[in-house]
Amino acid sequence: MARNGSKQSQSSPVRLWPLLAINFFMADMQSGIGPFVGVFLAQRGWESGLIGTAMSIGNIAGMLITTPVGGFIDASHHKRGWVIVPGAAVVAASSIILLWQNFWAVAASQVATSIAGAAIVPAVTGITLGIVGQKGFNRQNGRNQAFNHAGNMVGAAVSGFLGWYFGYLSVFLLAAAFGAITIACVLMIPPGTIDHRTARGWKEDEPDRQPHALTVLLKHKTLLVLALALAVFHLGNAAIVPLYGISAVTGKEANGPGFVATIIVIAQGTMVIASLVGMRVAEKRNFWMLLLVSFLVLPLRGLLACFLSGWPGVVPVEILDGIGTGLQSVAVPGMIARSLYSTGRVNLAQGAVITIQGAGAALSPALGGLIAGWIGFSPAFLVLGGFGLAAATIWVVLGAAVREY
């Protein structure tokens, strides 16, 4: 019955609109006040190193839980619940920051947000694969990412306006509203339209044989190279946006909410275009070139961030951010789904890659904050941008394991 529903959903576009709506509204729900945390705390006297440490604690917690969550999603026949429960938790956890601004309260909020958010991406990936199948995944994932980035853009623009006009409380209320709508959209997807065999990467007529989880995680060369390159990339990339916002606010070059919202709107608007272009390129070629381009964008972005601070640098720096992240949002899940086809471990692998790249992202804010405190913001951007060159080197040198995908 599930398979019939899955085939029916492919010929009935209306079935896909709840999925697109989930991606649009979950964007603001997933990040909540995340992009605004740095400037929110900086305006309350926090130092950049302390802000980065609190954010890193949350990132580490999310990193540790993502791989087992991916395995649970593979085995679960209640994939919608893996979006609903984390969505409610993200909204509740984010509100803690408004009530208490001491270090451990902020760190606890970031931990809860990261753990809940860790489940959303592999869950939506699994739902998408279960509805449209392997052949339709690349195109549908590209559309999902375009809607997700558009949701981030709209959410950031509205959050920036509301934060500027009404204060930070309105930003939390908007995240809560997006969360409620996301949950409603998930419930609009009939459970029978999700083929749970397809959702985890099994061929339709293949017996239920699958490699051991450790075999997939430790011996699949494509997965290992992809995870390593992404970890190095995000070690440099993740700190640039919060540091860029903090440097502008502390230097009196911009107001907090409006500046952060502008950063996000420009980046996410570019990501919408980049994800759709990436989807088309992947259909004609493969995902390897997309990822190489995404890695090479980071050094140029770090260079521009070094010499263009505040409002003059927002447009070029964040357009480059949008290109790199937009291409990765299509290429990473696509390469995982394609390279692990027929293993039955797609969502486990998705979670594992998020975990490893999350290790880089988790350390990045603390590293960036320490570098900025030691040598200043501008040189820190150059150092962080250099990690993009390292990731590109890994991608080319070890290309034999990934180039075919």
Side-chain angles (χ1 to χ4, degrees):
M1 185 70 181
R3 291 183 193 175
N4 291 337
S6 179
K7 291 177 181 178
Q8 179 184 357
S9 69
Q10 294 180 44
S11 62
S12 178
V14 69
R15 293 283 190 184
L16 300 177
W17 278 105
L19 183 59
L20 295 174
I22 290 169
N23 281 274
F24 182 90
F25 289 106
M26 82 180 224
D28 192 69
M29 177 195 71
Q30 185 181 0
S31 60
I33 198 177
F36 294 86
V37 168
V39 294
F40 176 72
L41 296 175
Q43 288 182 336
R44 281 153 181 78
W46 284 47
E47 296 181 355
S48 61
L50 194 63
I51 295 171
T53 301
M55 294 174 70
S56 289
I57 290 174
N59 290 337
I60 291 170
M63 174 192 70
L64 294 176
I65 200 67
T66 305
T67 299
V69 163
F72 292 142
I73 292 171
D74 270 333
S76 175
H77 283 205
H78 304 283
K79 290 181 175 59
R80 300 184 309 165
W82 287 94
V83 177
I84 294 170
V85 174
V90 166
V91 175
S94 295
S95 64
I96 294 175
I97 300 176
L98 267 184
L99 302 177
W100 301 284
Q101 281 96 54
N102 68 71
F103 177 81
W104 291 112
V106 172
S109 173
Q110 294 300 290
V111 168
T113 300
S114 295
I115 290 176
I120 294 177
V121 174
V124 172
T125 298
I127 291 172
T128 302
L129 192 56
I131 292 176
V132 303
Q134 181 70 221
K135 290 183 178 179
F137 181 74
N138 175 62
R139 177 160 294 193
Q140 185 58 39
N141 180 57
R143 292 169 177 163
N144 285 356
Q145 297 305 324
F147 271 76
N148 184 266
H149 299 315
N152 264 315
M153 182 175 63
V154 171
V158 177
S159 294
F161 172 76
L162 294 177
W164 168 73
Y165 197 79
F166 296 106
Y168 279 97
L169 174 61
S170 60
V171 177
F172 293 107
L173 294 178
L174 180 67
F178 271 47
I181 297 172
T182 301
I183 292 172
C185 293
V186 173
L187 295 174
M188 290 173 62
I189 298 177
T193 63
I194 303 172
D195 184 337
H196 295 286
R197 285 175 54 87
T198 304
R200 64 187 301 174
W202 265 326
K203 292 181 181 178
E204 185 173 341
D205 299 321
E206 190 172 82
D208 292 357
R209 292 181 292 105
Q210 59 186 111
H212 192 274
L214 288 178
T215 300
V216 171
L217 298 183
L218 299 179
K219 295 185 178 182
H220 197 282
K221 292 182 180 179
T222 301
L223 199 63
L224 294 174
V225 174
L226 176 64
L228 176 61
L230 288 171
V232 173
F233 173 84
H234 285 283
L235 183 60
N237 183 70
I240 290 183
V241 166
L243 279 182
Y244 202 68
I246 293 169
S247 68
V249 171
T250 56
K252 309 297 182 182
E253 297 180 74
N255 71 303
F259 188 78
V260 174
T262 302
I263 287 176
I264 299 169
V265 168
I266 294 172
Q268 295 295 332
T270 307
M271 289 175 201
V272 173
I273 300 171
S275 60
L276 292 174
V277 171
M279 174 190 74
R280 296 291 185 180
V281 172
E283 288 178 342
K284 297 179 180 180
R285 301 189 65 179
N286 60 17
F287 297 112
W288 182 85
M289 182 60 69
L290 293 180
L291 284 163
L292 178 60
V293 172
S294 76
F295 296 147
L296 292 175
V297 163
L298 181 57
L300 181 57
R301 184 169 169 240
L303 186 66
L304 291 178
C306 173
F307 293 104
L308 296 175
S309 62
W311 288 108
V314 168
V315 173
V317 169
E318 291 314 306
I319 284 178
L320 290 174
D321 184 24
I323 292 172
T325 305
L327 294 179
Q328 286 187 13
S329 69
V330 170
V332 173
M335 179 173 281
I336 293 172
R338 185 177 293 176
S339 64
L340 274 86
Y341 183 49
S342 81
T343 65
R345 297 291 190 181
V346 168
N347 296 298
L348 173 71
Q350 176 84 5
V353 169
I354 294 173
T355 296
I356 301 302
Q357 75 176 32
L363 295 173
S364 185
L367 177 64
L370 291 174
I371 294 173
W374 180 37
I375 61 177
F377 285 106
S378 294
F381 292 130
L382 288 178
V383 174
L384 295 172
F387 286 97
L389 288 176
T393 301
I394 292 170
W395 200 240
V396 172
V397 171
L398 301 178
V402 290
R403 199 181 300 270
E404 66 179 288
Y405 302 107

